[in-house]
């Protein structure tokens, strides 16, 4: 997964990026501190993989990874090339989903690019630039389809969809909020519209308000927008995340407990990211390596095998599978096999989150 972190200048985006990734991206109190996108690769915590590590003591331990991209701050007119607009839009296009950091705290010492705090206006600024860029793309596609219709009417349905979607965007609404049936949803998947990308609104609050975030008026404003767009909202405090990023696990757990929090911001973003993009993990284990593999929900066994190597998919015979829960309760693969918990699955088996797999193949 590749998550692009966006937001207006000085909303805490780079501070949050640094805290989540420990990548050391520059952070300062002036616009366009981030020009080239900073990239941070983080390991996805997985207690199931940790269990396998203790069981096998493998020579190699490979968790799944998540890539964060800290994209340059955006200003009005980006879709027309203002500020770093063209660069910003190109960087977003390469991501799977957007983490939109929205400022939800007051602090006179930190400059806001528009002079005051207004989450609704800030969200609209970025969303409109994405919408304007999408409208330009739709205009070009509509022109192409109209030319094709002169000789072949089979694209008539596509033209209706394109024009209806453009009308939706002209109302200032994102493509992801477009009321779509199955055909439209499939169309949106194959059309690189920026405002169709899944978004997680990260409501960045102060350390004094994060514990009672539901009472924060700025948070409420962001939540209303997220609900209307079918988007997800995540209350977070970049300042706290920065403070705990270097702590050892025990101190971190105590600190979070004092704040009434269970999980770190990174853990919550990872879970939301997986859920938003419909991702799950299966695991392979042995003395050579214990590894987590990320796949899309609904993936069948041969295609999951292909994530490891194309030969595995091409010569797929069967998959030997035990769920994490069954292996954990049994204590070992032989014990799980004796209990009948180790299953043989064929080509039609749909992989489940936490499956521990050994693929059989022949090429």
């Amino acid at each position: 997964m590749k998550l692009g972190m966006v937001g207006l200048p000085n909303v805490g985006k780079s501070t949050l990026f640094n805290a989540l990734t420990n990548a050391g991206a520059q952070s300062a109190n002036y616009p366009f501190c981030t020009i080239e996108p900073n990239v941070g690769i983080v390991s996805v915590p997985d207690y199931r993989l940790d269990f396998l590590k203790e069981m096998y003591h493998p020579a190699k331990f490979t968790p799944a990874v998540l890539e964060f991209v800290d994209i340059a701050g955006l200003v009005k007119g980006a879709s027309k090339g203002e500020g770093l607009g063209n660069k910003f839009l190109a960087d977003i296009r390469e991501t799977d989903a957007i983490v939109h950091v929205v400022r939800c705290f007051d602090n006179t010492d930190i400059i806001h690019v528009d002079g005051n705090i207004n989450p609704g206006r800030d969200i609209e600024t970025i969303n409109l630039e994405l919408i304007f860029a999408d409208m330009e793309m739709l205009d070009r596609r509509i022109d192409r389809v109209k030319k094709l219709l002169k000789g072949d009417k089979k694209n008539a349905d596509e033209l209706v969809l394109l024009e209806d979607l453009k009308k939706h965007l002209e109302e200032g609404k994102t493509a992801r909020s477009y009321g779509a049936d199955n055909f439209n949803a499939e169309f949106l998947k194959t059309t690189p519209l920026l405002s169709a990308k899944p978004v997680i609104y990260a409501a960045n609050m102060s350390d004094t308000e994060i514990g009672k975030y539901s009472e924060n008026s700025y948070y409420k404003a962001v939540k209303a927008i997220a609900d209307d767009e079918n988007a997800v909202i995540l209350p977070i405090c970049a300042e706290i995340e920065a403070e705990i990023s270097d702590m050892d696990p025990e101190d971190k757990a105590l600190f979070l407990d004092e704040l009434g929090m269970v999980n770190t911001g990174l853990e919550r973003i990872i879970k939301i990211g997986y859920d938003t993009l419909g991702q799950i993990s299966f695991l392979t284990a042995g003395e050579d390596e214990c590894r987590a593999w990320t796949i899309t929900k609904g993936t069948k066994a041969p295609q999951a095998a292909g994530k490891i190597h194309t030969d595995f998919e091409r010569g797929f015979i069967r998959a030997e599978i035990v769920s994490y829960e069954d292996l954990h309760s049994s204590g070992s693969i032989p014990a799980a096999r004796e209990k009948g918990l180790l299953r043989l699955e064929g080509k039609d088996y749909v992989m489940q989150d936490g499956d521990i797999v050994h693929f059989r193949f022949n090429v």
Side-chain angles (χ1 to χ4, degrees), residues 182-235:
N182 290 334
F183 169 72
N184 290 351
E186 187 60 33
F187 168 83
L188 291 175
K189 286 181 183 178
T190 58
T191 305
L193 297 174
L194 297 177
S195 70
K197 287 184 178 292
V199 67
I200 301 166
Y201 285 113
N204 185 20
M205 283 176 267
S206 68
D207 57 349
T208 59
E209 292 195 283
I210 187 64
K212 48 183 179 180
Y213 64 86
S214 61
E215 301 173 15
N216 181 297
S217 61
Y218 298 141
Y219 172 84
K220 291 178 182 178
V222 177
K223 188 176 188 308
I225 293 169
D227 290 345
D228 187 55
E229 287 188 5
N230 300 317
V232 180
I233 183 170
L234 171 71

Side-chain angles (χ1 to χ4, degrees), residues 81-130:
E82 294 292 329
L84 300 167
N86 291 332
K87 175 67 174 166
F88 172 91
L89 297 171
D91 290 335
I92 288 183
R93 204 173 295 281
E94 299 302 315
T95 64
D96 298 312
I98 297 169
V99 178
H100 185 163
V101 184
V102 185
R103 181 167 168 178
C104 294
F105 65 90
D106 292 302
N107 188 330
T108 55
D109 293 330
I110 300 177
I111 304 164
H112 189 286
V113 70
D114 287 324
N116 66 316
I117 312 302
N118 185 329
R121 177 203 59 212
D122 293 356
I123 290 172
E124 183 180 55
T125 295
I126 287 186
N127 279 350
L128 284 177
E129 296 308 321
L130 302 183

Side-chain angles (χ1 to χ4, degrees), residues 53-320:
K53 181 181 179 182
E54 291 300 314
M55 177 179 288
Y56 285 97
H57 303 287
K60 189 176 181 182
F61 177 75
T62 311
V65 296
L66 180 65
E67 182 175 347
F68 285 101
V69 183
D70 180 20
I71 298 172
L74 183 81
V75 294
K76 292 178 182 177
S79 60
K80 302 299 181 183
E82 294 292 329
L84 300 167
N86 291 332
K87 175 67 174 166
F88 172 91
L89 297 171
D91 290 335
I92 288 183
R93 204 173 295 281
E94 299 302 315
T95 64
D96 298 312
I98 297 169
V99 178
H100 185 163
V101 184
V102 185
R103 181 167 168 178
C104 294
F105 65 90
D106 292 302
N107 188 330
T108 55
D109 293 330
I110 300 177
I111 304 164
H112 189 286
V113 70
D114 287 324
N116 66 316
I117 312 302
N118 185 329
R121 177 203 59 212
D122 293 356
I123 290 172
E124 183 180 55
T125 295
I126 287 186
N127 279 350
L128 284 177
E129 296 308 321
L130 302 183
I131 289 168
F132 291 150
D134 286 345
M135 287 172 62
E136 288 186 10
M137 177 180 286
L138 284 179
D139 282 337
R140 292 193 296 271
R141 186 156 175 174
I142 286 171
D143 287 342
R144 287 198 300 271
V145 172
K146 283 183 176 179
K147 290 177 181 177
L148 291 172
L149 282 174
K150 292 178 181 179
D152 189 344
K153 300 299 182 183
K154 69 179 182 179
N155 294 333
D157 288 342
E158 182 180 354
L159 181 61
V160 172
L161 171 61
L162 290 169
E163 291 182 334
D164 189 52
L165 179 55
K166 184 184 175 186
K167 182 179 178 181
H168 178 82
L169 296 178
E170 287 173 339
E171 296 173 355
K173 300 175 183 177
T174 61
R176 64 180 161 268
S177 66
Y178 185 59
D181 56 25
N182 290 334
F183 169 72
N184 290 351
E186 187 60 33
F187 168 83
L188 291 175
K189 286 181 183 178
T190 58
T191 305
L193 297 174
L194 297 177
S195 70
K197 287 184 178 292
V199 67
I200 301 166
Y201 285 113
N204 185 20
M205 283 176 267
S206 68
D207 57 349
T208 59
E209 292 195 283
I210 187 64
K212 48 183 179 180
Y213 64 86
S214 61
E215 301 173 15
N216 181 297
S217 61
Y218 298 141
Y219 172 84
K220 291 178 182 178
V222 177
K223 188 176 188 308
I225 293 169
D227 290 345
D228 187 55
E229 287 188 5
N230 300 317
V232 180
I233 183 170
L234 171 71
I236 200 165
C237 174
E239 186 179 345
I240 288 176
E241 298 303 323
E243 191 170 346
I244 67 175
S245 62
D246 291 325
M247 290 184 180
D248 62 48
E250 287 187 8
D251 290 340
K252 187 180 296 186
L254 287 172
F255 188 83
L256 290 173
D257 186 58
E258 289 176 3
L259 294 171
M261 300 167 64
V262 178
N263 302 113
T264 65
L266 176 60
E267 291 166 338
R268 288 182 289 142
I269 284 180
I270 287 172
K271 184 180 186 310
I272 291 172
Y274 267 71
D275 291 344
T276 300
L277 293 171
Q279 303 289 295
I280 62 173
S281 293
F282 72 89
L283 307 117
T284 53
E287 294 181 358
D288 292 336
E289 182 181 27
C290 289
R291 180 164 181 167
W293 304 84
T294 301
I295 55 173
T296 302
K297 286 181 182 176
T299 298
K300 292 186 177 180
Q303 288 69 51
K307 288 281 290 186
I308 300 174
H309 197 285
T310 54
D311 283 350
F312 284 29
E313 180 176 359
R314 186 160 55 93
F316 179 88
I317 299 173
R318 65 179 183 272
E320 297 178 355

